[in-house]
Each structure stands twice: as C-alpha cells, then as structure tokens.
Amino acid sequence: MKSLKYITLGFLLVGTLHACNKIIDIDPISNVGVDNFYKNYEETKTALTGSYYGLQKPLEYEWMLTELRSDNSKQGVANSTASINVEFNELDMFTLNSAHDKVYQYWLSTYKNIRSINYVLQSLGVKYTGNKIEIGDGTAKMTAGQKNQLAGEALFLRAYHYFNMVRLYGGVFLITEPVDPQESRSIQRASLSDCYTLIKADLLAAKDLLSPTTYQNTANGDVGRATTWAAKALLAKVYLTLQDKGNAIPLLDDVISNSGYGLLPAYADVFSINNEMNREILFAVRFKAGGFGLGNSMANNFAPTSSGSAVINGDGTGYNFPTNELDGTFKTPATGATDQRKNVTMAKYGSKLYVKKFLSPVLVKFDAENDFPVIRFSDVLLMKAEATGYNGASGTSVGLINQVRERAGAVNYASGDFNAGFYKYPGDAAASGAITDDTKFLNALLNERRVELAFENQRYFDLIRTGQAITVIKNHFAAEFDSHYKAYRPAVTLAELQSNVVADKLLLPVPQREIDTNNQIKITQNPGY
C-alpha cells in the first residue's frame, strides 16, 4: 500500500484511501499564517508531506531539459508547427532563448516547492549559517528524534532541488528561509561554489539526522520518505559532479554494504506498479492513480499519438521520442543473450518508437500509478565504478559494471565476436571486448548508465559531469541527421546543427521574466543568451 499520497487545496485532512492511506490537503505557500500553523509534530509533518507532493510538478518539464537535450530523445515530428513541438525543437536543437516557457515553468515550480520546504525548516528552527546547518528552537514543538527526522527529510528535498537547478542553470538564487516578494528581489545569483556549499551542507546534515534503518526494517508508514541512504547516495553524486571522487567512495561503500538495498533479479520488476518502492529504489517521486489529481501524466504523454487505446487508454500525446541511435544501443541479437532492458524501456507502435518504462493501465488520461525513480541501487553501483576508476580488466570497477549488465541478461564471454551478443566484459585483457584502458572504461561506463537509466533524466547530467556532452551530442546529430533532422523546414545543415552545441549553451538561460520583473537589481544572464 502506497504512502505519501497527498493533494493540495487548504489545511484540512479530507479523507482516507484504502482505510489507512491519508490524502493530505496542504499548501504551505498559502496566505494562512504559517508561523502560527506549524506548532507541533503532526502539523509540520503534514506540511512536509505537501513538499513531497511538490516534487511532482517539476517532473512534468524535467525530461524536456535533460533527456530531450541528450542523445536519448528527440522531438519526433520534424515539420510540426504546433507550439509545443516548436518549444521541443528549441530544446532539442539548442536554439532556445531566455523566454522559453518550459525553462521558466521548471524554474517556477521548483522554487515554489523550495519555498514550502523552507517554511518547514523554519518551523523546525533549522538555519543555514553560510557553510553549515544549525538547528535551534522553532515554532513547532516535538521530541528531538521527531525534529531530526523531519529536518533531515526537508534538507534532503531542498538539496535535491538545488542540485538539479545548479546543474541546469548554473549559479541560482539561494533562498534558505521564507522571504516576501519584495525582499526576494534584492537577492542576486549565487556562485557555483556557494550553491554547492549549500547542497553539501544540506546533505551532510540530512545523512546524520536521518535514521540508518535498513530497507528491510523500514516501517510501512515511512516507505517513500527520504532516508540516510538516499542522502548519502545523492551526496556521492554531488561529489562526483565536483570531481571529488575520494569523498564519494566511502558514502557509496556504506550504501552498498549496509543499507539493505540491492539489485532485483529482474529489471522489469523495478518499474512494476505492483512492486513500488522495492529494494532497488532508494528514493522516488511518488504518484497515485485514482482521480485524486496525483497521477503520473508520463504514461499518456509518452505514448504515441493516434494510437487510440492500443497502447494506453485515452491515447498518447507523443512526447519524448526515443532516438534510433538509443534503440540500436541495446544488444538484441537474433540468437543468444539479449539485453532485457530494451523491452521494458521502449517499444514501437507502427514506425514510431515510444517510451514504455513509465507506462501502466489508466482509467483516466494522465492519471497513471507509476512512481519516478530518482536514485536506484544500480545507479549507486555504477557511481562506485566511476568513483573508483579503471583498475584493470578484472578489477572491481569492471566487476561493478558487470553486476548491472548480468542482471540485464548478459552472459559470460568465451570466444568469437564480442559485439555479436550480449556479454559481460571479459576479465582477460587480451580477450575481444575487454576494457583495457581509461577511455574504453569511460565509454563502457557511460554506455551502461545510458541503457540502464534511460529516460530517468540522468543521461544529460552524466555527459556534462564526464565532459562528454559536446562531442556526444554532435555525434548524435550526425547519426540522426539523414533520418530526422534533414527533413526540417526551413532546412538546416548538419554543420549548422552541430554549431549550436557550444559550452555556453550547455546551461539553460535564467528565465527572462526573472530579469525583466526585477526593479531592484540587475540579474546577470548566462553567456550565450
């Protein structure tokens, strides 16, 4: 039974679901006197539940800013003049400007939830002092254990948001306590260094405040809430992003050895709506079907257009088309072992590929049950391989990649053509297909992350973190040019398309509305916009 299901309209508990799942009706950003409302544990926990719900809205746009700007996805109708497809083209082809609506909507929905999180933290007496988190007396009275748990969860959520924001926009506005609109206009963009200092402080505090309860010992009522293991895994990814692999390794080792999380035997089971928050999911954004306004729209949005009910009830919108290049990356030979992830990840309707990973039956359009994974155990294993680096064809890092690969169906390689089937990488450096140097290791690691985590909004960040984005995206344009981009009108050459992919454009612009509506300070725009 799913926990953390909520809906926002006011400050009331409006009902129950299946006898024990409460639907919380909470909006911490209303005009109600928040300082007076959060007086105790139950009220503050209710407000925090609203902040978990607030994770859903940014996900409506996040794939557009990540997968669509990578080599995983494309806008699938080359000559469409529909306004939404024009917006997709601008993201896909790196031609957007600072007035792009979806860039603004992601920014707006994220900051709205950060504000609600800050109200929770204020009620708990949690303050950011410039380089660390301090906990004092707040308006909400509760036991120390209750305060630590709620503070840890709220800090994790805030760090999650800011980590995504800084990777997408660069230095952003650091808001760490509730401010009124007038006061907010005097806050300038922070440096990258200051942003990451806050993110690390939040996660360092969260991992220590949250209970180290293992997966199998987690109480039913706590399923879906942030844990110390999720905080450690996310902090490790922050360290990897900062090229601080030394600090990432002990965190990843702790999760691998002590958390109780692990790989499921079958890849398909990870995403089953009958197996949610399984032992592979360290953290996910949760959704609930049933007409509560909490369902996941991805099932219908990602299903192909004009498919009627053949793919999903209510037809599809045709967003987030997988690239032919990604389709060919999965190893699916006619005989022998095949990569079992492909049929879970994508499918084809007619001649069009579509994303299948978040598709489940719906009674009402845009109301699917599927949760969206943020941190999975396979991600942790692959991060450990990345942090360790290449240490030989039979070393631990290749072994970690092979753990993930084996779960997907790879078998031992004996002889012949390594590329003709789906094999684990051989430990014999002299064997065909062996990983024998740093370059081959990075290529294998990125390939494994790509197919394992496809459409989980990881690929673009992986390319940025490893310095591969410009090269890979230019190569993607070349691979898809004749079959897709060549059909655009007015016509664009491959050289023109590739010329759009420059270092400045890897970041999104600060939404122009933020700049135009501020009458107190001049906000700096990212270069290239």
Side-chain angles (χ1 to χ4, degrees):
M1 198 173 300
K2 181 175 285 188
S3 304
L4 294 183
K5 298 304 169 192
Y6 10 78
I7 189 167
T8 67
L9 289 173
F11 287 97
L12 300 173
L13 181 64
V14 297
T16 60
L17 175 67
H18 304 312
C20 68
N21 270 355
K22 292 183 178 179
I23 307 301
I24 301 299
D25 200 356
I26 179 73
D27 187 352
I29 314 173
S30 73
N31 291 324
V32 176
V34 178
D35 289 344
N36 294 326
F37 177 72
Y38 304 149
K39 298 176 182 178
N40 55 46
Y41 174 71
E42 290 301 328
E43 290 176 353
T44 311
K45 185 177 180 180
T46 297
L48 181 60
T49 298
S51 299
Y52 277 99
Y53 163 68
L55 302 176
Q56 293 182 355
K57 190 65 175 180
L59 278 180
E60 291 185 22
Y61 312 104
E62 189 175 287
W63 71 269
M64 306 175 194
L65 312 183
T66 54
E67 297 289 6
L68 188 56
R69 294 202 298 151
S70 78
D71 52 346
N72 279 356
S73 300
K74 62 188 177 186
Q75 191 282 107
V77 187
N79 287 316
S80 172
T81 58
S83 59
I84 186 64
N85 285 337
V86 171
E87 288 183 321
F88 289 164
N89 288 342
E90 291 168 349
L91 290 163
D92 183 16
M93 301 167 71
F94 287 77
T95 59
L96 76 159
N97 60 39
S98 58
H100 196 283
D101 179 66
K102 300 305 179 284
V103 171
Y104 175 66
Q105 294 301 327
Y106 181 84
W107 173 285
L108 185 66
S109 59
T110 300
Y111 269 114
K112 180 178 180 181
N113 204 42
I114 288 172
R115 186 183 180 198
S116 76
I117 294 165
N118 283 337
Y119 275 125
V120 171
L121 291 169
Q122 182 187 59
S123 297
L124 294 168
V126 179
K127 292 186 177 181
Y128 177 62
T129 63
N131 57 12
K132 64 179 180 179
I133 298 297
E134 293 183 352
I135 302 180
D137 293 329
T139 57
K141 305 304 178 185
M142 62 191 75
T143 68
Q146 290 172 332
K147 177 182 281 194
N148 287 346
Q149 180 66 29
L150 296 184
E153 291 180 38
L155 289 167
F156 172 87
L157 298 183
R158 186 170 72 180
Y160 161 75
H161 277 316
Y162 273 125
F163 187 38
N164 285 341
M165 291 287 281
V166 75
R167 290 184 293 173
L168 289 171
Y169 298 92
V172 293
F173 306 112
L174 293 186
I175 313 295
T176 60
E177 57 188 37
V179 295
D180 61 44
Q182 189 67 18
E183 185 181 358
S184 69
R185 291 191 178 96
S186 65
I187 299 173
Q188 184 56 273
R189 295 177 65 187
S191 67
L192 283 175
S193 176
D194 286 346
C195 290
Y196 277 109
T197 296
L198 170 64
I199 294 165
K200 288 188 291 184
D202 280 358
L203 290 173
L204 285 166
K207 76 176 181 63
D208 292 337
L209 291 168
L210 293 169
S211 170
T213 304
T214 58
Y215 169 77
Q216 54 269 36
N217 292 321
T218 301
N220 287 339
D222 293 332
V223 171
R225 294 188 175 274
T227 66
T228 189
W229 311 112
K232 289 176 180 179
L234 188 61
L235 180 57
K237 187 165 287 188
V238 171
Y239 283 133
L240 281 180
T241 301
L242 296 173
Q243 305 302 312
D244 185 358
K245 297 178 179 180
N247 273 319
I249 288 174
L251 293 166
L252 296 166
D253 284 340
D254 193 11
V255 174
I256 292 169
S257 300
N258 301 315
S259 68
Y261 289 86
L263 294 179
L264 296 188
Y267 186 76
D269 289 344
V270 178
F271 307 97
S272 170
I273 61 172
N274 299 313
N275 192 36
E276 294 180 310
M277 296 313 297
N278 55 71
R279 68 189 295 259
E280 187 159 336
I281 307 295
L282 277 76
F283 189 75
V285 177
R286 310 214 66 194
F287 291 87
K288 179 64 186 176
F292 303 102
L294 305 171
N296 193 334
S297 63
M298 293 178 188
N300 286 101
N301 274 337
F302 295 170
T305 56
S306 303
S307 56
S309 59
V311 175
I312 191 170
N313 185 40
D315 206 351
T317 310
Y319 295 169
N320 204 8
F321 279 84
T323 62
N324 294 327
E325 181 192 4
L326 175 61
D327 181 46
T329 300
F330 291 91
K331 294 290 184 181
T332 56
T335 59
T338 64
D339 193 331
Q340 298 169 6
R341 295 171 291 200
K342 182 175 181 179
N343 289 335
V344 177
T345 302
M346 64 175 70
K348 183 175 284 189
Y349 180 80
S351 62
K352 293 286 189 179
L353 293 165
Y354 66 92
V355 177
K356 184 182 176 185
K357 185 176 276 188
F358 309 112
L359 192 152
S360 63
V362 299
L363 294 176
V364 178
K365 193 173 184 178
F366 305 128
D367 190 35
E369 179 73 13
N370 309 74
D371 293 340
F372 188 88
V374 172
I375 307 170
R376 293 201 283 115
F377 192 78
S378 58
D379 188 4
V380 172
L381 294 178
L382 294 173
M383 281 197 286
K384 173 63 188 303
E386 181 179 342
T388 303
Y390 177 63
N391 56 3
S394 59
T396 56
S397 292
V398 174
L400 289 164
I401 295 174
N402 277 338
Q403 279 189 52
V404 177
R405 203 168 174 84
E406 182 178 19
R407 193 272 297 274
V411 297
N412 290 329
Y413 173 73
S415 62
D417 183 359
F418 178 83
N419 293 317
F422 186 45
Y423 301 107
K424 291 184 285 185
Y425 291 104
D428 180 1
S432 171
I435 299 172
T436 55
D437 56 43
D438 290 341
T439 299
K440 289 182 178 180
F441 171 76
L442 179 60
N443 290 339
L445 175 70
L446 286 175
N447 179 76
E448 211 57 38
R449 289 188 62 84
R450 184 184 188 189
V451 294
E452 174 69 21
L453 304 169
F455 307 114
E456 296 176 42
N457 301 348
Q458 301 277 0
R459 175 64 170 172
Y460 188 75
F461 293 140
D462 289 348
L463 295 176
I464 296 292
R465 184 178 67 251
T466 57
Q468 304 296 304
I470 292 176
T471 297
V472 167
I473 295 168
K474 285 184 175 183
N475 289 341
H476 149 67
F477 285 148
E480 300 277 328
F481 186 77
D482 286 340
S483 63
H484 181 68
Y485 295 103
K486 190 175 182 178
Y488 275 80
R489 295 294 180 271
V492 59
T493 67
L494 175 58
E496 290 169 338
L497 191 58
Q498 290 177 324
S499 70
N500 296 334
V501 190
V502 295
D504 285 348
K505 291 300 180 72
L506 296 180
L507 286 178
L508 296 169
V510 174
Q512 193 63 38
R513 293 190 209 183
E514 289 286 355
I515 296 173
D516 293 344
T517 59
N518 193 310
N519 57 9
Q520 291 194 32
I521 62 173
K522 182 177 180 180
I523 298 172
T524 57
Q525 181 58 275
N526 286 330
Y529 297 100

